[in-house]
Amino acid sequence: EDQVTQSPEALRLQEGESSSLNCSYTVSGLRGLFWYRQDPGKGPEFLFTLYSAGEEKEKERLKATLTKKESFLHITAPKPEDSATYLCASKAAGNKLTFGGGTRVLVKP
Amino acid sequence: DADVTQTPRNRITKTGKRIMLECSQTKGHDRMYWYRQDPGLGLRLIYYSFDVKDINKGEISDGYSVSRQAQAKFSLSLESAIPNQTALYFCATSDIGEQYFGPGTRLTVT
């Protein structure tokens, strides 16, 4: 059974304090590792897809990386508007996603 | 206009009532999904459909049914609502890659 575990569950950062979120996955035949951002009361918003170990993608202050067992979402010099819950999800054959529980990030000014 | 819309956005209903949640998308995708989200449990797949004639159960389909009325429309029904179906429900669509989510329906069963 596919499993995705995210850590930590919650992260409090000062503005400008860089940090990383972890997503560990167990899946047979990974077809993609996805990162989403979710604001309170809203649907998840797509950020990145990673397909193979060693791949990296960046968007503004966010950078996602992938190894054979984990993915990391690095937040560089975060701003209060980066406060959200970040979700990762793995995809095996069949286009179904398995989501982790998310990491709630709070960036204080 | 939003690519994926859900109606209603909020609903309070009583135990035993039948309720339908509706989802429409303008992205032209064949694949559509219904998830529920509960605090601490993340997003869990209820049903999914890869085209109009295809319906598949997800990991938590008991107590739910779906209808794919057209490529753009996918409805979720609770035949007899119970309190533990209180949750946030999301519809999503995709091509072969990432999924795009609607704004969600907050459902409360009293």
Side-chain angles (χ1 to χ4, degrees):
Chain A
E1 183 178 328
D2 299 345
Q3 287 192 326
V4 177
T5 303
Q6 292 187 245
S7 62
E9 290 186 4
L11 192 58
R12 293 166 67 97
L13 301 172
Q14 287 296 129
E15 185 172 2
E17 179 188 1
S18 301
S19 188
S20 294
L21 284 55
N22 177 267
C23 172
S24 297
Y25 63 91
T26 305
V27 60
S28 299
L30 183 72
R31 301 289 181 91
L33 189 292
F34 299 80
W35 282 97
Y36 287 84
R37 170 192 170 124
Q38 186 175 23
D39 293 300
K42 296 188 176 181
E45 175 188 348
F46 171 71
L47 291 174
F48 304 110
T49 309
L50 302 166
Y51 290 103
S52 56
E55 188 175 359
E56 299 183 352
K57 289 197 176 169
E58 289 189 64
K59 180 180 180 179
E60 297 180 356
R61 294 176 293 281
L62 301 177
K63 183 169 80 172
T65 63
L66 183 66
T67 73
K68 288 187 177 181
K69 294 184 179 181
E70 298 174 301
S71 180
F72 295 91
L73 185 66
H74 309 277
I75 310 178
T76 301
K79 298 182 177 182
E81 53 262 42
D82 295 321
S83 298
T85 296
Y86 292 87
L87 304 170
C88 74
S90 66
K91 183 175 78 170
N95 212 51
K96 291 186 293 179
L97 297 183
T98 299
F99 280 86
T103 294
R104 295 188 313 277
V105 175
L106 175 63
V107 182
K108 304 192 80 173
Chain B
D1 288 342
D3 293 324
V4 184
T5 57
Q6 293 184 234
T7 56
R9 294 295 314 280
N10 290 281
R11 180 74 182 266
I12 300 174
T13 193
K14 293 184 183 295
T15 298
K17 293 292 188 181
R18 184 178 189 275
I19 182 170
M20 179 182 288
L21 309 182
E22 298 185 330
C23 175
S24 295
Q25 52 106 352
T26 59
K27 296 189 74 68
H29 291 159
D30 285 327
R31 303 178 182 193
M32 299 187 73
Y33 312 80
W34 276 105
Y35 291 88
R36 68 177 277 174
Q37 188 174 41
D38 300 274
L41 294 178
L43 281 157
R44 293 182 291 166
L45 185 63
I46 306 172
Y47 271 95
Y48 61 103
S49 168
F50 283 177
D51 65 43
V52 175
K53 296 181 180 180
D54 177 72
I55 300 289
N56 303 280
K57 293 182 177 180
E59 60 182 298
I60 55 165
S61 60
D62 287 349
Y64 301 95
S65 62
V66 291
S67 173
R68 184 80 185 266
Q69 298 96 326
Q71 185 202 37
K73 295 184 182 297
F74 193 34
S75 300
L76 176 72
S77 293
L78 286 66
E79 297 300 326
S80 180
I82 56 177
N84 77 359
Q85 291 177 314
T86 293
L88 197 52
Y89 289 84
F90 289 103
C91 172
T93 76
S94 77
D95 193 351
I96 61 171
E98 63 273 10
Q99 294 180 16
Y100 293 89
F101 286 80
T105 294
R106 184 170 297 280
L107 177 66
T108 303
V109 184
T110 62

